């Protein structure tokens, strides 16, 4: 389920994102970073993340990529932001953000940084629902450094 209590929507297959590399920002017991926030990467966020030891450019990510972000890293960027439009905070796609993000981030904060058209209706929340069974394909997750 999403933060808006709707079925989790597909986020990105180019690049293939998600802890389980299935295109969804779903989490499970093996996901210690809680990759639940569906965000649009900016150069400022990539610099911010690298300064904290997780250089996402090392795995080929660039400005404009859609990526399932660690909940706490997104929250750190939000807390470091100088204003509501500071590009250090990736825009959030609520239709693809897993409800587990709410354990660390308030819904109002996520809505404040929602991508255009996402704050009210939840975007495409009813499209492409995902099974909540982690690692359904048996290949296992690809891990990033943290």
């Amino acid at each position: 389920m999403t933060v808006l209590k709707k079925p989790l929507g597909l986020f990105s297959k180019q690049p293939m994102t998600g802890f389980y590399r299935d295109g969804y920002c779903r989490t499970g017991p093996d996901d210690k970073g809680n990759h639940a926030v569906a965000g649009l990467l900016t150069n400022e966020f990539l610099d911010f993340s690298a300064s904290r030891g997780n250089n996402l450019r090392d795995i080929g990510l660039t400005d404009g990529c859609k990526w399932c972000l660690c909940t706490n890293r997104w929250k750190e960027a939000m807390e470091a932001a100088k204003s509501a439009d500071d590009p250090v905070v990736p825009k959030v796609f609520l239709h693809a953000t897993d409800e587990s993000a709410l354990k660390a981030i308030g819904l109002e904060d996520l809505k404040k940084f929602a991508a255009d058209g996402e704050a009210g209706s939840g975007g495409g929340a009813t499209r492409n629902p995902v099974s909540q069974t982690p690692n359904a394909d048996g290949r296992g997750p690809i891990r990033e450094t943290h």
Side-chain angles (χ1 to χ4, degrees), residues 1-3 7-9 11 17-38 67-72 95-105 130-136 140-144 146:
M1 297 298 283
T2 70
V3 293
L8 193 63
F11 188 47
T17 191
F19 181 75
Y20 297 102
R21 294 303 190 263
D22 60 1
Y24 294 88
C25 297
R26 62 191 180 94
T27 64
D30 294 331
D31 183 4
K32 304 303 181 209
N34 192 39
H35 293 77
V37 178
W67 198 246
C68 297
L69 303 169
C70 292
T71 299
N72 285 332
H95 80 276
T97 297
D98 189 84
E99 67 185 341
S100 64
L102 296 174
K103 293 176 186 172
I105 305 167
V130 64
S131 164
Q132 292 297 312
T133 306
N135 204 12
I142 300 170
R143 289 184 172 72
E144 303 162 23
H146 294 281

Side-chain angles (χ1 to χ4, degrees), residues 1-139:
M1 297 298 283
T2 70
V3 293
L4 299 174
K5 305 298 182 209
K6 296 184 180 189
L8 193 63
L10 178 68
F11 188 47
S12 177
K13 289 193 170 191
Q14 280 295 346
M16 185 64 78
T17 191
F19 181 75
Y20 297 102
R21 294 303 190 263
D22 60 1
Y24 294 88
C25 297
R26 62 191 180 94
T27 64
D30 294 331
D31 183 4
K32 304 303 181 209
N34 192 39
H35 293 77
V37 178
L40 184 65
L41 297 179
T42 63
N43 280 321
E44 293 82 359
F45 178 80
L46 290 166
D47 292 342
F48 180 84
S49 185
S51 76
R52 281 155 175 75
N54 188 18
N55 188 347
L56 296 171
R57 288 183 179 103
D58 285 348
I59 58 171
L61 298 177
T62 60
D63 179 69
C65 286
K66 290 182 173 182
W67 198 246
C68 297
L69 303 169
C70 292
T71 299
N72 285 332
R73 183 59 36 92
W74 186 91
K75 182 179 179 182
E76 289 171 5
M78 180 192 69
E79 291 170 347
K82 295 177 179 31
S83 66
D85 61 347
D86 190 329
V88 75
V89 186
K91 293 295 182 190
V92 176
F93 291 80
L94 300 173
H95 80 276
T97 297
D98 189 84
E99 67 185 341
S100 64
L102 296 174
K103 293 176 186 172
I105 305 167
L107 181 58
E108 290 309 310
D109 286 329
L110 290 168
K111 285 182 174 182
K112 185 178 2 175
F113 293 96
D116 290 344
E118 287 276 320
S121 68
T126 59
R127 293 189 310 259
N128 303 318
V130 64
S131 164
Q132 292 297 312
T133 306
N135 204 12
D137 64 6
R139 292 184 300 162

